[in-house]
Amino acid sequence: MDWFAAQPAPLQALMAGIFTWGVTALGAAGVFLAKRPSQKLLDIMLGFAGGVMIAASYWSLLAPAIEISEELGYPGWLPPLIGFLAGGGSLRLLDMVMPHLHPAMAETHPDGPPSTLRRTTLLVLAITLHNIPEGLAVGVAFGAIGMLPQATVAGAVALALGMGLQNFPEGLAVSMPLRREGLTRTRSFFYGQLSAIVEPIFAFLGALLVYIARPLLPYALAFAAGAMIFVVVEETVPESQASGNGDLATTGFLIGFAVMMVLDVALG
């Protein structure tokens, strides 16, 4: 940990992003299991992922954004409000311009503009698109270290750990539909883990941005929070509820929220 703490924030963020990518790959490797996990288990795991993301959005992103805004002399609510709406709006804009197909929508038409892309490509694009804010969240958390007393290496590591935990079901949630679309297990795994390649990239970019431009930090933190909440409301929660296991998925959500809250408060 001492060696890790001594590294520049962008490098720390890159390593953390590689970790979250690796956990996605571990989840995607579930496609090699002889028996497909039960739908109930998948829905609990998706609910858990949503709970982690909502908790991280507040404790790791919005709350620090408010504190930093006040320290910089801004109204405490203004930069978080701007960043939050910009984050959600950016994901909505990407949804509109990029054709994609949500795993829970396997029998419906793709979102976004008309496209001749294969269904498997559209499935991967959907998960890739929604992994961007997770990478940004990890990146800005590491970029904030040293700029705010509450922003510590342990806190950023806790966020990366939480993102990693919720990436496991995400990896499984993309590789399994690809397998049902007729891809081999190897190709399903490959595309499943590939959907998270954006996480180390955007983790590095997010940390680099706030590392060189401190006044942008509260906006960047809130931007990542808005983008993540958009993903949870637009995809993660609806998918966890789509198969009739709503109570189990909600229980998973509560557990995920509690786990991320404990990680952030205890380590951050």
Side-chain angles (χ1 to χ4, degrees):
M1 178 64 80
D2 290 339
W3 175 85
F4 182 81
Q7 304 308 308
L11 181 57
Q12 292 174 338
L14 178 62
M15 290 187 284
I18 291 172
F19 163 74
T20 59
W21 175 26
V23 180
T24 304
L26 187 62
V31 76
F32 292 110
L33 296 175
K35 184 179 179 181
R36 181 180 182 273
S38 71
Q39 189 61 48
K40 288 183 179 180
L41 177 60
L42 291 175
D43 290 340
I44 291 172
M45 293 170 71
L46 281 173
F48 179 91
V52 167
M53 293 173 75
I54 291 290
S57 295
Y58 176 71
W59 272 281
S60 298
L61 300 171
L62 285 175
I66 294 169
E67 294 182 26
I68 295 172
S69 297
E70 293 172 345
E71 285 193 357
L72 293 175
Y74 302 134
W77 56 269
L78 184 57
L81 174 65
I82 295 172
F84 182 84
L85 294 178
S90 296
L91 262 290
R92 174 56 183 153
L93 181 61
L94 286 175
D95 263 2
M96 293 170 62
V97 301
M98 181 183 293
H100 57 283
L101 184 65
H102 302 290
M105 298 166 50
E107 302 303 325
T108 64
H109 295 292
D111 279 354
S115 173
T116 58
L117 294 174
R118 297 177 59 184
R119 290 170 57 85
T120 52
T121 303
L122 295 172
L123 284 166
V124 174
L125 280 175
I127 303 300
T128 302
L129 173 66
H130 292 161
N131 277 328
I132 291 174
E134 296 168 20
L136 280 175
V138 171
V140 296
F142 279 98
I145 296 171
M147 300 183 186
L148 187 72
Q150 294 87 344
T152 63
V153 172
V157 168
L159 176 61
L161 180 59
M163 292 296 98
L165 287 173
Q166 65 89 33
N167 272 1
F168 183 87
E170 281 193 357
L172 195 60
V174 67
S175 64
M176 286 298 181
L178 291 175
R179 176 62 176 161
R180 291 198 299 270
E181 289 290 320
L183 270 66
T184 64
R185 283 186 168 87
T186 300
R187 291 187 67 192
S188 297
F189 164 75
F190 174 76
Y191 289 119
Q193 62 81 31
L194 189 65
S195 68
I197 189 63
V198 295
E199 292 204 17
I201 296 171
F202 278 88
F204 177 80
L205 292 176
L208 183 63
L209 177 65
V210 299
Y211 190 67
I212 62 178
R214 185 175 187 267
L216 293 178
L217 180 55
Y219 298 96
L221 288 165
F223 183 97
M228 284 213 299
I229 288 180
F230 180 92
V231 170
V232 173
V233 176
E234 197 247 3
E235 179 169 335
T236 308
V237 168
E239 287 192 12
S240 72
Q241 305 277 332
S243 301
N245 299 313
D247 288 343
L248 292 174
T250 301
T251 300
F253 182 98
L254 293 172
I255 293 171
F257 188 99
V259 168
M260 187 64 229
M261 179 176 64
V262 170
L263 281 174
D264 197 278
V265 174
L267 298 180

